[in-house]
Amino acid sequence: MKQGMRAMAGAVALVGLLATAGPAVAKDRVIAVDGVSKANADRRVEILVHVPDGQDANAAAERALAGQGAKKAPKPPEPQSNSYSFTGLFWDTRSVTQNYNPAGSPPINAQGALTNTHPDWSNVSNSVFDMFFGGNTNRCPSLVRECPGAQKNDRFNDVGWAQLQNGTLGVTWSTSGIDEADMAINTRYSWTTGCNAPSGSFDLESVYLHENGHVVGLGHSTDINAVMYPSYQTSRCSLAADDQAGMAALY
């Protein structure tokens, strides 16, 4: 259902890399870009883009948006009054159940990295919301563009792996006309778990935690300490006060 001044009938959240699948270096940046689908303005896309040292951030952002068939999102009608923000996705049931497809996963505990994030978003003071694990599936997340066939709502909230295009690290699509959120992580990159990613790899739980913030309906935050801050700065596997305040305000 629609929620607040910034509500839209659909939302998409994306975490991305815009380089070849080589290791990140110290001077690389990860920036955020918000967009909407060119085919359906009710779908919102939110992208974190890896910008290798020496590359133009604006050009990288445009390539990321184009790669998902999106354009820059219009500015909200009113300035953001809090550091946290909302995408427009609102779960009337105050809960979401995620299923996991392990096909294509690297040899790490990827399912554990996903389910580790569920208590973070469920156990927020002054918030009534729960994330549940529904079990394993062989479905390709139906809202993910790289899955076979047209994007569609199948009313499952699935997480899986795919050979994503245009250097994208991971992608989360969601709709709020029908509450649904699907996510895929790129098999082409080096992943680790344990919230202590070595140089040249990315911490999967940190990415899942940020992306599940979009799944529950949070947008990006201006608080640099927040999980929902629009930049992958370092491994981060617990919510900050701002993330919790956003959840309490939304639910």
Side-chain angles (χ1 to χ4, degrees):
M1 299 295 292
K2 292 187 176 181
Q3 176 79 9
M5 293 293 294
R6 298 185 61 193
M8 305 176 73
V12 181
L14 173 84
V15 176
L17 279 168
L18 261 235
T20 58
V25 298
K27 293 184 179 180
D28 290 1
R29 292 173 290 164
V30 180
I31 63 170
V33 128
D34 295 343
V36 294
S37 170
K38 292 179 180 178
N40 186 341
D42 289 335
R43 292 177 181 159
R44 180 183 177 92
V45 62
E46 297 169 73
I47 309 172
L48 287 176
V49 183
H50 175 231
V51 184
D53 185 32
Q55 291 196 13
D56 180 74
N58 289 330
E62 291 293 342
R63 288 195 299 270
L65 287 168
Q68 288 294 316
K71 59 185 179 180
K72 287 184 179 180
K75 292 183 178 181
E78 293 183 356
Q80 185 173 324
S81 58
N82 297 293
S83 49
Y84 54 80
S85 66
F86 309 128
T87 65
L89 176 61
F90 182 83
W91 298 87
D92 295 326
T93 59
R94 271 48 171 198
S95 67
V96 61
T97 299
Q98 286 187 317
N99 311 290
Y100 176 68
N101 185 343
S105 170
I108 59 175
N109 185 12
Q111 180 175 308
L114 175 66
T115 57
N116 282 349
T117 70
H118 292 171
D120 292 283
W121 292 113
S122 298
N123 299 328
V124 175
S125 297
N126 301 315
S127 170
V128 181
F129 190 88
D130 290 297
M131 294 194 83
F132 299 108
F133 182 59
N136 292 134
T137 181
N138 60 6
R139 292 183 297 268
C140 192
S142 66
L143 290 174
V144 173
R145 285 168 57 93
E146 287 77 8
C147 285
Q151 289 175 288
K152 63 180 181 180
N153 291 94
D154 65 1
R155 298 181 183 271
F156 292 104
N157 307 297
D158 294 333
V159 178
W161 294 82
Q163 291 189 349
L164 302 175
Q165 303 301 311
N166 302 294
T168 298
L169 184 63
V171 60
T172 301
W173 289 87
S174 64
T175 57
S176 58
I178 297 174
D179 291 342
E180 182 177 336
D182 291 334
M183 186 191 308
I185 302 297
N186 200 339
T187 59
R188 302 174 186 267
Y189 290 93
S190 177
W191 294 98
T192 188
T193 58
C195 215
N196 186 24
S199 176
S201 65
F202 293 87
D203 181 70
L204 184 60
E205 185 173 335
S206 298
V207 171
Y208 278 147
L209 187 63
H210 179 94
E211 288 306 282
N212 270 341
H214 291 311
V215 169
V216 303
L218 291 182
H220 290 131
S221 171
T222 59
D223 184 340
I224 196 171
N225 297 308
V227 164
M228 299 312 296
Y229 186 72
S231 173
Y232 180 109
Q233 302 175 89
T234 186
S235 300
R236 184 172 291 172
C237 297
S238 60
L239 300 185
D242 184 74
D243 305 305
Q244 296 173 345
M247 278 296 287
L250 186 58
Y251 297 103

